[in-house]
Amino acid sequence: MDSHEINKHAGGLLSALLVTMGLGIFADVLFHIEKPAKPGYELAGAAEPVAVAAVADAGEPLPVLMAKADAKRGEGYAKACATCHSFDKGGAVKVGPPLYGVVNRPVASMAGFQYSETLTKMGGQWSFENINKFIANPKGYAAGTKMGYAGEKDPQHRADIEAYLRSMSDSPAPLPN
Ligand code: HEC
């Protein structure tokens, strides 16, 4: 076998390798294209854990969660808030400001409570949307807030808490849509 022949063989081997790698990548591409094509709601048997996780990550929009929220359940979850907040009409300042009627109330507006600079400067009103973001991750949403609460990670629990907050008002705000 002269060197020319060796080169030919080496070349052949190399192309075979490249083709194999190419096929591998192609298979990868096929696999990845296929996954999202599987409808995420086809949960029967849960044979596609990847697709299910993707759906859970995307999450349901707040109006959908609020539509099936339950104020009574929310009252239970809000026990975690009640160490620091009063929900009653005319309730007093505790560690945090009283929350009766907080939905659609201007941010940082309770007289007699010393708000952080962060909330004082935030402006706007507490909507279902921004309360949802705030209580999911207080320091992530409002860096520098005095609210020493880790956050409620479950979106449905947050919606339930908001249904409870909504009910604790003279005129409950319309549900978000
Ligand atoms: C460890 C005490 C603590 C817990 C627990 C807590 N909060 Fe707070 N919260 C505070 C404090 C303190 C503030 C004022 C924050 C600031 O000034 O930065 C606040 C502010 C707020 C505000 C803004 C009110 C306003 O007048 O602008 C809302 C809304 C709120 N909390 C909702 C909740 C909800 C809902 C929960 C439970 C899911 C909760 N908080 C749990 C202490 C707490």
Side-chain angles (χ1 to χ4, degrees), residues 39-176:
Y41 47 79
E42 217 177 64
L43 297 184
E48 287 284 325
V50 175
V52 173
V55 166
D57 278 350
E60 286 176 291
L62 186 61
V64 175
L65 295 170
M66 289 293 300
K68 55 184 178 182
D70 183 286
K72 203 84 213 127
R73 252 182 353 233
E75 184 177 5
Y77 298 136
K79 295 232 186 317
C81 326
T83 33
C84 298
H85 291 288
S86 158
F87 295 101
D88 300 329
K89 187 170 185 170
V93 165
K94 292 167 81 179
V95 178
L99 291 183
Y100 184 85
V102 73
V103 179
N104 291 344
R105 189 170 84 187
V107 173
S109 59
M110 295 313 282
F113 184 77
Q114 198 70 39
Y115 289 94
S116 64
E117 209 186 322
T118 304
L119 282 209
T120 308
K121 290 188 171 164
M122 185 176 283
Q125 298 189 336
W126 285 117
S127 63
F128 288 113
E129 284 291 347
N130 61 15
I131 293 176
N132 178 45
K133 289 180 188 155
F134 184 48
I135 65 177
N137 180 359
K139 298 214 159 35
Y141 180 73
T145 181
K146 293 205 287 185
M147 175 148 128
Y149 171 67
E152 171 55 68
K153 299 305 172 216
D154 187 307
Q156 188 62 61
H157 291 193
R158 290 199 302 272
D160 290 341
I161 289 171
E162 292 216 77
Y164 174 61
L165 288 178
R166 173 177 181 263
S167 75
M168 299 306 281
S169 163
D170 286 344
S171 48
L175 285 170

